[in-house]
């Protein structure tokens, strides 16, 4: 290689002994040897630079001389005009002694302006001023007729010290009469002296430029010397001739490719073998129409020997070697040898290569999803038309549901053909293949079935003769049946058919089909397992989520829950009725998908229900929920293989329809959106707390808001406003726009509007959406009394209560209500502390509340027969559907709920006595 394309020629053996000739002593040349190409180029560049520098300096000097004369003329004219028109000059010339007045002024002006002289003289030609006082009064030399005529006159003349410029201007009175003249002269040498002061800088700059350009030329010449290795022009010419003769006379194609993938050189044989265009050299290899494999080999520079590649209708043996180790630049050289004669032998190798490529492509084209049907479709679509004309997949029914295989009944899961019209069973058809069919044989034995001549096979035709005749008439002549088996589980069969391809399937095709089906079977089994787990998770999640909205009158509620495409997640929501006609709205999110997320969601939802039953404030409820999550994390991560709660958020909203107030607290969750009745949309500021389990004991804060009736509260999880292709800020802006355009819409319609505007095509996370429109309990359904801390005050309150119940039309439960209030008020007076208040709410049920300033809670106990008290709460528990205690910031509220119409029969004094009789020890 180096002898062929290197820069030194091989020497003949001078002794004829076969011993290598002694290496010639290399001729050492300096970088600027005039015999080398680089030296000649450098000398030429240097001469040109010197000539250009001399020409430039000469031009600048001539230009400076011309400029000096013009500057002297301008200065003398300006000086003469300035002195002639200066104030006092005319008066001095008209005075009795002009010399006495003008001589000092002329000398002062001459010294300041730098001119050589300023001479003022009379129209008769006698001097009034002169630098040499002895010449004052003498007659001037020369003519000044033009100045006497009233025109300025400038002349240039020679002097012993060089050229001089003189300008004479007239001085006229008001009538235009010339009363005197002023002449100003300056030598060009004075101006030259200023220009000459700049000449060293000029010559220095010119010399520096020449040196700089000489240095650049030296660098260029040095690079050229390295590239030509200091060779003389004759040597370069001789080497080029030798290189061209060897290169183009060789009967092997030769290519040189640089490290950037561009073709640098191709000999005539390479152009013939590869059918290269005339402008191939300098173009990228990928633009020359090579086979992709050959182009990749040339670009990689990978050393190879006699590797066979196709080039059109030829077969080439390709050898590639890198050029850098042999003294050349980075790149590679390839030799090409035509071996088309071996095409017959390598035909089978090409077929094997196509089959291997088919299997390689199948690794990327089959099993891209965890969907059973989609995977079956990918197998059929991949094999048609590359391998077969028609392909069908039949699976056991239970496999499609994620279960284990049961029975032999199959369902056509996928079918693909070169034509849409075909006689094969359609997708979705349940098939019970007969015992003589290839599908039944293959499924029963678990072995492939090859039928090269399908019309000659009679057993399968007898099972379904009508369809068999259609298949034969369609031209299908060969088929294979490959069982779908993975991890020892036989799940179905895949059938391959050929019609328009004349060659039948062979044993080699069976091996390829088995590889394809094995890949698809493994993916189908993975999808089956995923389907089973997904179904289990969905069932678990649906059992844990609310199945509807509980009855309550404080809010008009609508909701949506949409699972993610990736699987079951941990989003949840809840509507929880609370005592006092209040309602809690809850939305939460557990990070992750699958069974663990669904189970964690169920635990948290249950915990929220339990904490809500304790009637905790939103901040205290979330604080306890945070402690619970931290404890779960600590317990489960401590177990071997345990997984804690990877992350959870929660938004808790408590609405009171009596006051129209809402309390909001959140833990790492997006806050709610509010839509006022006039259509104003806002996202109220709610104090932010860390997600559950991460607060570390930090307090949770609550925001309190007062809402007008008809306000819609929108609670949602982050999956609604955030997606892999959408930032949360963009999602919130879209949500605001959707809500702003939904004025007067119901909660159900609002849910539809929001999802229509924000739902992504393939949600990557669960979406929980809760929309609630507020209602207020009418004031005429609320009764409130202040009760003095005096047992005598019980009777008046009972009377007021009875009248209120009559007004509400609830006389049926009057006696029970009076009894309940009597017991609760008596307990508050006896065991509580002021202030004591009684409130009755007429809602879906009758709610009685007695509040006092004490935090002690009453407990039901069994009274002894001799006890005078202790039976009141028993009576409350019997006559009320529910009762309990709610703690306030100061004090407590004991509440009870009763059905609006008494369905328990008589509730008079006799019934009370019967209940008390049941409470004594004898009865128990």
């Amino acid at each position: 290689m180096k002898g062929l394309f290197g820069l030194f020629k091989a020497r003949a053996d001078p002794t004829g002994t076969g011993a290598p000739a002694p290496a010639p002593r290399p001729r050492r040349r300096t970088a600027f040897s005039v015999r080398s190409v680089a030296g000649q180029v450098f000398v030429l560049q240097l001469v040109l630079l010197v000539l250009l520098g001399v020409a430039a300096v000469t031009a600048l000097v001539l230009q400076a001389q011309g400029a000096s004369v013009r500057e002297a003329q301008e200065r003398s004219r300006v000086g003469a005009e300035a002195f002639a028109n200066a104030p006092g000059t005319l008066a001095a010339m008209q005075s009795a002694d002009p010399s006495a007045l003008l001589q000092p002024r002329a000398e002062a002006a001459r010294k300041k302006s730098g001119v050589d002289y300023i001479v003022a003289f009379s129209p008769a030609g006698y001097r009034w001023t002169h630098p040499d006082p002895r010449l004052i009064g003498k007659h001037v030399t020369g003519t000044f007729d033009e100045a006497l005529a009233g025109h300025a006159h400038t002349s240039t003349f020679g002097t012993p010290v060089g050229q001089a410029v003189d300008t004479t201007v007239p001085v006229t009175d008001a009538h235009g009469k010339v009363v005197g003249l002023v002449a100003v002269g300056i030598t060009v040498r004075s101006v030259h002296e200023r220009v000459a002061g700049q000449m060293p800088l000029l010559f220095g700059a010119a010399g520096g430029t020449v040196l700089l350009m000489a240095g650049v030329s030296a660098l260029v010449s040095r690079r050229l010397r390295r590239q030509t290795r200091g060779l003389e022009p004759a040597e370069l010419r001789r080497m080029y001739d030798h290189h061209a003769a060897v290169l183009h006379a060789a009967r092997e194609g030769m290519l040189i490719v640089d490290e950037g993938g561009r073709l640098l050189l191709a000999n005539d044989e390479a152009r013939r073998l590869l059918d290269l265009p005339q402008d191939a050299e300098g173009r990228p290899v990928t633009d020359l129409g090579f086979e992709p494999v050959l182009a990749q080999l040339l670009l990689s520079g990978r050393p190879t020997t006699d590797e066979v590649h196709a080039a059109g209708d030829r077969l080439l043996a390709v050898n590639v070697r890198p050029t850098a180790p042999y003294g050349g630049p980075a790149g590679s050289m390839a030799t090409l040898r035509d071996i088309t004669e071996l095409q017959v032998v390598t035909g089978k190798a090409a077929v094997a290569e196509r089959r291997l490529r088919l299997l390689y492509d199948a690794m990327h084209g089959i099993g891209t999803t965890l969907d059973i049907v989609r995977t079956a479709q990918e197998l059929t679509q991949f094999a048609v038309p590359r391998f077969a004309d028609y392909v069908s997949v039949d699976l056991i029914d239970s496999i499609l549901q994620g279960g284990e295989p049961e029975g032999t009944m199959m369902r056509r899961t996928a079918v693909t053909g070169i034509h849409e019209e075909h006689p094969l069973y359609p997708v979705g058809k349940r098939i019970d293949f007969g015992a003589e069919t290839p599908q039944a044989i293959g499924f029963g034995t678990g072995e492939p079935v090859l039928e090269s001549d399908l019309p000659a096979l009679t057993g399968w035709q007898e099972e379904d003769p009508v369809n068999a005749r259609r298949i034969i008439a369609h031209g299908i002549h060969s088929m294979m049946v490959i069982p779908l088996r993975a991890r020892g589980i036989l799940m179905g069969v895949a059938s391959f058919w050929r019609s328009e391809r004349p060659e039948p399937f062979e044993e080699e095709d069976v091996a390829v089909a088995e590889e394809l089906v094995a890949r698809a079977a493994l993916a189908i089994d993975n999808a089956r397992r995923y389907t089973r787990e997904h179904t289990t998770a969905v069932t678990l999640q649906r059992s844990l989520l609310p199945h509807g909205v509980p009855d309550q009158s404080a809010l008009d509620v609508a909701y949506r829950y949409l699972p993610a495409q990736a699987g079951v997640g941990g989003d949840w929501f809840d509507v929880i009725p609370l005592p006092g006609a209040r309602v809690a709205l809850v939305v939460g999110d557990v990070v992750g998908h699958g069974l663990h997320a669904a189970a964690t969601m169920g635990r948290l939802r249950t915990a929220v229900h339990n904490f809500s039953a304790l009637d905790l404030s939103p901040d205290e409820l979330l604080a306890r929920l945070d402690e619970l999550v931290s404890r779960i994390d600590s317990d489960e991560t401590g177990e071997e293989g345990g997984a804690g709660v990877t992350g959870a958020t929660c938004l808790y909203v408590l609405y009171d329809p009596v006051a129209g107030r809402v309390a909001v607290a959140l833990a790492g969750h997006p806050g709610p959106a509010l839509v006022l009745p006039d259509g104003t949309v806002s996202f109220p500021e709610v104090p932010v707390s860390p997600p559950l389990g991460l607060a570390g004991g930090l307090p949770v804060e609550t925001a309190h808001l007062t809402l007008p009736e008809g306000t819609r509260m929108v609670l949602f999880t982050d999956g609604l406003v955030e997606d892999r292709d959408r930032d949360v800020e963009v999602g919130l802006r879209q949500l605001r726009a959707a809500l702003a355009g939904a004025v007067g819409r119901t909660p159900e319609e609002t849910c539809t509007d929001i999802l229509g505007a924000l739902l992504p095509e393939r949600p990557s996370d669960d979406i929980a959406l809760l929309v609630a429109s507020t209602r207020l309990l009418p004031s005429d359904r609320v009764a409130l009394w202040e009760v003095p801390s005096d047992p005598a005050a019980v009777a008046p309150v009972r009377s007021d209560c009875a009248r209120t119940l009559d007004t509400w039309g609830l006389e049926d439960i009057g006696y029970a209500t009076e009894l309940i209030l009597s017991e609760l008020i008596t307990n508050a007076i006896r065991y509580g502390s002021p202030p004591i208040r009684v409130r009755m709410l007429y809602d879906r049920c009758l709610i009685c509340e007695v509040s006092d300033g004490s935090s002690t809670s009453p407990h039901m106990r069994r009274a002894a027969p001799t006890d005078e008290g202790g039976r009141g709460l028993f009576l409350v528990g019997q006559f009320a559907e529910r009762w309990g205690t709610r703690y306030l910031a100061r004090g407590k509220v004991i509440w009870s709920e009763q059905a609006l119409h008494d369905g328990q029969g008589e509730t008079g004094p006799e019934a009370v006595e019967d209940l008390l009789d049941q409470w004594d020890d004898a009865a128990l």
Side-chain angles (χ1 to χ4, degrees):
M1 185 75 70
K2 188 171 181 179
L4 183 60
F5 295 106
L7 296 175
F8 300 98
K9 297 181 293 182
R11 300 299 183 110
D13 181 9
T15 61
T17 61
R25 177 180 299 175
R27 290 178 291 178
R28 301 180 60 86
R29 298 185 178 92
T30 64
F32 305 111
S33 172
V34 294
R35 299 184 60 187
S36 66
V37 174
Q40 294 178 7
V41 171
F42 174 73
V43 171
L44 178 60
Q45 290 177 337
L46 188 61
V47 170
L48 289 176
L49 287 174
V50 171
L51 291 177
L52 289 174
V54 171
V57 171
T58 302
L60 289 173
V61 170
L62 294 176
Q63 182 180 2
Q65 288 180 350
S68 299
V69 174
R70 288 192 297 273
E71 183 178 357
Q73 292 174 347
E74 291 295 330
R75 288 182 61 188
S76 66
R77 182 180 184 88
V78 169
E81 291 284 358
F83 190 82
N85 294 290
T89 301
L90 176 61
M93 288 183 175
Q94 293 175 340
S95 64
D97 189 3
S99 294
L101 297 176
L102 293 175
Q103 176 65 13
R105 294 173 61 186
E107 285 304 300
R110 178 182 66 82
K111 292 177 181 179
K112 289 182 180 180
S113 62
V115 298
D116 291 317
Y117 61 84
I118 297 177
V119 177
F121 54 95
S122 64
Y126 293 98
R127 298 185 182 96
W128 288 329
T129 65
H130 197 278
D132 187 359
R134 293 175 299 178
L135 297 179
I136 294 175
K138 303 296 186 180
H139 198 279
V140 297
T141 59
T143 61
F144 43 89
D145 295 340
E146 186 175 354
L148 286 176
H151 303 290
H153 173 70
T154 300
S155 60
T156 303
F157 53 90
T159 67
V161 294
Q163 279 187 317
V165 176
D166 177 87
T167 298
T168 303
V169 298
V171 178
T172 59
D173 58 9
H175 303 288
K177 178 182 178 181
V178 176
V179 297
L181 298 101
V182 176
V184 175
I186 184 172
T187 60
V188 177
R189 181 183 64 180
S190 300
V191 180
H192 278 337
E193 289 176 355
R194 296 177 58 192
V195 176
Q198 301 176 2
M199 292 305 291
L201 178 62
L202 179 64
F203 283 108
T209 303
V210 171
L211 292 177
L212 178 62
M213 295 304 295
V216 173
S217 298
L219 293 177
V220 173
S221 299
R222 184 177 180 182
R223 180 177 178 84
L224 181 61
R225 178 178 177 271
R226 284 199 306 269
Q227 294 177 347
T228 60
R229 304 200 177 185
L231 297 178
E232 299 177 5
E235 291 177 321
L236 285 176
R237 180 65 182 177
R238 185 168 58 254
M239 181 171 293
Y240 174 78
D241 293 341
H242 173 72
H243 165 272
V246 173
L247 181 66
H248 298 290
R251 298 314 302 165
E252 286 190 355
M254 299 182 186
L255 301 174
I256 296 181
V257 180
D258 66 7
E259 60 180 344
R262 292 185 177 274
L263 180 64
L264 298 181
L265 185 143
N267 68 347
D268 295 342
E269 182 67 7
R271 292 178 178 274
R272 184 184 70 83
L273 294 176
L274 299 175
D275 194 20
L276 295 177
Q278 292 297 324
D279 60 343
E281 295 179 354
R283 293 172 56 182
V285 171
T286 53
D287 295 347
L288 298 178
F290 293 164
E291 291 291 331
V293 178
L294 177 59
Q296 183 61 34
L297 176 63
L298 296 176
L299 291 174
S300 66
R302 172 175 55 85
T304 184
T305 302
D306 289 339
E307 189 169 305
V308 179
H309 290 274
D313 57 351
R314 295 187 177 90
L315 286 179
L316 304 179
V318 183
N319 297 270
V320 179
R321 295 291 185 274
T323 58
Y326 301 95
S332 61
M333 174 185 174
T335 61
L336 314 172
R337 188 170 69 255
D338 190 356
I339 56 170
T340 308
E341 297 81 4
L342 301 177
Q343 186 171 7
V344 177
V345 178
T346 58
K348 293 185 178 180
V351 173
E353 182 182 359
R354 286 195 297 272
R355 288 173 176 170
L356 289 175
R357 184 180 301 175
L358 179 72
L359 296 177
Y360 176 78
D361 294 341
M363 296 175 59
H364 304 281
I366 300 176
T368 60
T369 66
L370 287 173
D371 183 88
I372 296 175
V373 175
R374 178 59 184 163
T375 303
Q377 291 173 346
E378 288 175 347
L379 171 61
T380 61
Q381 293 169 358
F382 178 82
V384 177
R386 299 177 64 178
F387 185 68
D389 294 332
Y390 297 93
V391 179
S392 63
V393 175
D394 305 298
L395 297 177
I396 301 295
D397 251 350
S398 57
I399 295 294
L400 294 172
Q401 308 303 322
E404 299 295 328
E406 298 176 0
T408 60
M409 182 66 71
M410 299 186 191
R411 186 179 297 274
R412 179 59 53 88
T413 308
V415 60
T416 300
I418 55 177
H419 301 297
E420 293 185 1
E421 297 293 333
H422 54 75
L424 303 180
Y425 292 130
V427 172
K429 181 178 178 59
R430 287 171 56 88
I431 308 171
D432 188 7
F433 290 105
E436 298 298 325
T437 60
Q439 286 84 0
I441 296 173
F443 185 78
T445 62
E447 298 295 332
V449 177
L450 173 62
E451 297 296 341
S452 300
D453 189 5
L454 198 59
L457 183 65
T458 59
W460 71 279
Q461 299 179 17
E462 296 175 356
E463 297 289 341
D464 189 354
V466 176
N467 193 57
R469 285 193 296 269
R470 293 175 56 203
I471 291 176
I472 299 302
H474 196 72
I476 297 177
H477 58 82
S478 178
M479 74 171 296
M480 290 185 300
V481 175
I482 309 297
L484 275 157
R485 185 196 305 270
R487 301 183 179 97
I489 299 176
L490 194 58
M491 299 176 290
V493 294
S495 304
F496 298 83
W497 321 70
R498 279 185 179 173
S499 59
E500 295 188 2
R501 289 192 181 191
E503 64 275 10
F505 287 116
E506 301 175 350
E507 291 295 335
E508 292 82 359
D509 296 319
V510 174
V512 175
E514 285 185 306
E515 292 288 341
L516 290 175
V517 173
R519 170 71 182 173
L522 184 61
I524 288 175
D525 188 52
N526 290 337
R528 177 185 68 88
R529 293 166 179 259
Y530 170 78
T531 301
R532 181 176 58 193
E533 179 182 345
H534 180 72
T535 302
T536 304
V538 168
T539 303
L540 174 63
Q541 185 191 42
R542 287 177 178 173
S543 67
L544 295 175
L545 285 172
H547 299 287
V549 177
D551 292 336
Q552 45 81 35
S553 57
L555 297 168
D556 181 13
V557 179
Y559 65 91
R560 296 288 189 275
Y561 178 80
L562 301 176
Q565 294 283 345
V568 175
D571 292 16
W572 92 92
F573 65 92
D574 249 321
V575 179
I576 307 173
L578 296 175
R582 298 169 303 145
V583 178
L585 302 177
V586 189
V587 172
D589 185 5
V590 176
V591 176
H593 297 87
L595 284 174
H596 182 261
T600 303
M601 176 269 289
R603 299 169 72 177
L604 295 182
R605 181 168 177 257
T606 302
V608 170
H609 268 271
N610 293 335
F611 290 146
S612 297
L614 297 176
D615 220 334
L616 302 177
S617 62
D619 54 346
E620 186 176 358
L621 185 144
L622 290 183
R624 293 198 181 187
L625 196 61
D626 177 76
E627 294 177 3
L628 174 64
V629 172
S630 299
R631 188 161 59 251
I632 293 175
D633 277 339
S634 177
D635 294 343
E636 294 191 357
T637 55
E639 300 176 1
E640 184 176 356
V645 182
T646 57
T649 64
C650 185
L651 171 63
Y652 192 91
V653 176
L654 180 59
Y655 176 67
D656 184 357
V658 178
R661 289 183 60 79
V662 63
V664 185
L666 58 84
H669 200 90
L674 299 180
V675 184
L676 298 180
D678 62 358
T680 303
V681 181
S682 65
F683 294 90
E685 293 291 336
V686 180
V688 179
S689 298
L692 299 175
L694 302 177
L698 295 175
V700 180
E701 299 184 45
T702 302
H704 296 276
L705 306 170
T706 300
L707 303 179
E709 186 172 13
T711 299
R712 280 170 292 166
M713 296 183 289
V714 181
L715 287 68
F716 52 89
T717 56
D718 58 356
L720 179 68
V721 296
E722 187 176 12
D723 193 65
R724 62 171 62 95
D725 300 323
R726 179 178 60 192
D727 186 69
V728 63
E729 295 298 331
V730 177
L732 290 176
R733 287 197 296 269
Q734 293 176 347
L735 176 60
R736 180 188 292 273
L739 293 174
V743 179
R745 307 281 280 177
T746 65
E748 280 289 342
E749 294 171 338
T750 303
C751 286
T752 303
D753 295 338
I754 292 174
L755 293 181
L758 278 82
L759 183 64
E761 183 177 353
R762 293 180 60 85
S764 58
D765 194 6
D766 293 8
I767 296 176
L769 175 63
L770 196 61
V771 179
S773 179
T774 62
R775 298 170 179 162
L776 292 178
L777 190 64
S779 59
D780 58 357
R781 290 197 171 197
V782 179
L784 181 65
W785 297 275
E786 295 284 343
V787 181
S789 185
D790 183 0
V794 176
V797 173
R798 290 184 59 175
S799 300
D800 292 342
C801 167
R803 286 191 295 271
T804 302
L805 292 177
D806 291 342
T807 303
W808 289 345
L810 303 177
E811 301 89 349
D812 295 346
I813 59 174
Y815 183 80
T817 305
E818 292 180 29
L819 181 61
I820 291 172
L821 284 177
S822 296
E823 295 298 333
L824 296 182
I825 295 171
T826 301
N827 274 338
I829 294 174
R830 180 175 297 180
Y831 303 109
S833 61
I836 300 173
R837 295 184 178 90
V838 176
R839 186 173 72 164
M840 283 199 313
L841 305 177
Y842 178 16
D843 194 33
R844 290 177 177 268
C845 61
L846 181 64
I847 303 170
C848 297
E849 297 179 345
V850 178
S851 63
D852 66 83
S854 172
S855 297
T856 59
S857 176
H859 297 281
M860 186 183 297
R861 66 181 180 86
R862 181 179 302 162
T866 58
D867 289 345
E868 295 182 0
R871 298 173 180 84
L873 292 181
F874 171 73
L875 294 176
V876 172
Q878 293 299 313
F879 286 106
E881 289 186 339
R882 294 194 310 157
W883 74 280
T885 303
R886 178 170 78 251
Y887 292 96
L888 306 176
R890 296 183 60 183
K892 66 181 181 298
V893 175
I894 303 175
W895 56 269
S896 68
E897 294 181 357
Q898 299 169 256
L900 295 181
H901 299 284
D902 191 1
Q904 300 179 352
E906 186 181 357
T907 57
E910 294 80 4
V912 175
E913 292 297 332
D914 293 339
L915 289 173
L916 293 177
D917 290 341
Q918 297 174 13
W919 187 247
D920 60 17
D921 291 336
L924 296 174

